[in-house]
Amino acid sequence: MNGVSGDEKIKYPLSMRLLHWVRAVIILGLIWSGWYMTSLPETTPMATFDLFYPNHKQFGVLVWLLALVHLTIRWRNRQILPPTPQGLTGWETTLSHLVHRSIMALTVLIPLLGYCMSSSFTQSDGVPFFFFGELPELLPKNDKAFEVFDALHKYSAYVLLGLIALHVAGALKHRLQDRGGETDVLPRMF
């Protein structure tokens, strides 16, 4: 068995496990901050806006980059990833694959929509990225396009939040009902 215990064999590679949890924390923080900052009244001090908006943008770019890294690591390790548990019913397998793929797609798409939103907004102050400075805004300024990107960004984030809730519910269901069984997949991510 090449010195690998049974528990280690069914875990995802450490790099994927770390990325999973780091992305989870950042994404939940972004969803919360997006909801909070857009609900602030116009009378809010400018310093509050100056704290939330640039940080929301740069952490969104970070999530996009981490999603690309995750997809690369996943592709490189595709031969050694834990298989789908055979104990799952057909609909559970289908739902699991659909939710995972949708979450990955949205973690790539939502930051791009946010970038497009910021880039097309006529009053945008740019898209910062930590110590790298401002990212180039590649789209022409157009407030009608901004409105479309704004709606797509917002509603896609709500869909992502729903998928995350479904993902967590599935993991907890299998953890609580099937603890230690083949379909108890939570230990794969720890």
Side-chain angles (χ1 to χ4, degrees):
M1 278 206 149
N2 297 337
V4 178
S5 74
D7 286 344
E8 287 173 297
K9 248 180 100 172
I10 64 163
K11 288 184 181 288
Y12 282 91
L14 180 61
S15 56
M16 288 182 73
R17 288 182 276 150
L18 290 173
L19 274 172
H20 175 271
W21 294 109
V22 167
R23 285 178 36 239
V25 168
I26 296 172
I27 288 168
L28 291 174
L30 283 168
I31 291 171
W32 173 83
S33 70
W35 172 80
Y36 179 78
M37 70 187 196
T38 58
S39 67
L40 291 171
E42 293 292 323
T43 57
T44 302
M46 195 54 147
T48 303
F49 288 109
D50 290 343
L51 171 69
F52 276 94
Y53 279 86
N55 283 313
H56 184 83
K57 291 175 184 183
Q58 57 194 3
F59 277 97
V61 173
L62 179 61
V63 161
W64 182 75
L65 291 171
L66 291 175
L68 296 180
V69 168
H70 174 92
L71 287 170
T72 302
I73 292 170
R74 184 174 187 83
W75 182 78
R76 287 181 150 191
N77 289 293
R78 66 190 179 279
Q79 301 299 330
I80 61 166
L81 295 179
T84 301
Q86 292 187 4
L88 294 176
T89 64
W91 71 268
E92 287 174 322
T93 299
T94 300
L95 184 60
S96 172
H97 290 172
L98 178 66
V99 167
H100 283 104
R101 289 178 180 137
S102 297
I103 287 173
M104 278 309 305
L106 287 172
T107 60
V108 171
L109 179 66
I110 293 171
L112 290 176
L113 291 169
Y115 169 84
C116 292
M117 180 177 72
S118 185
S119 187
S120 63
F121 187 46
T122 55
Q123 297 175 8
S124 173
D125 54 358
V127 178
F129 187 60
F130 300 106
F131 55 86
F132 291 102
E134 300 285 319
L135 298 179
E137 292 184 329
L138 301 176
L139 298 178
K141 299 299 182 191
N142 179 330
D143 284 340
K144 293 288 185 197
F146 162 78
E147 290 174 11
V148 172
F149 290 126
D150 179 44
L152 290 171
H153 182 70
K154 178 168 89 175
Y155 294 118
S156 296
Y158 285 133
V159 170
L160 178 59
L161 184 58
L163 290 168
I164 290 169
L166 197 55
H167 177 65
V168 170
L172 288 176
K173 178 259 184 206
H174 291 292
R175 180 69 177 164
L176 297 174
Q177 286 187 352
D178 310 330
R179 188 177 194 102
E182 182 201 8
T183 60
D184 179 8
V185 294
L186 193 58
R188 295 176 173 200
M189 271 301 165
F190 283 104

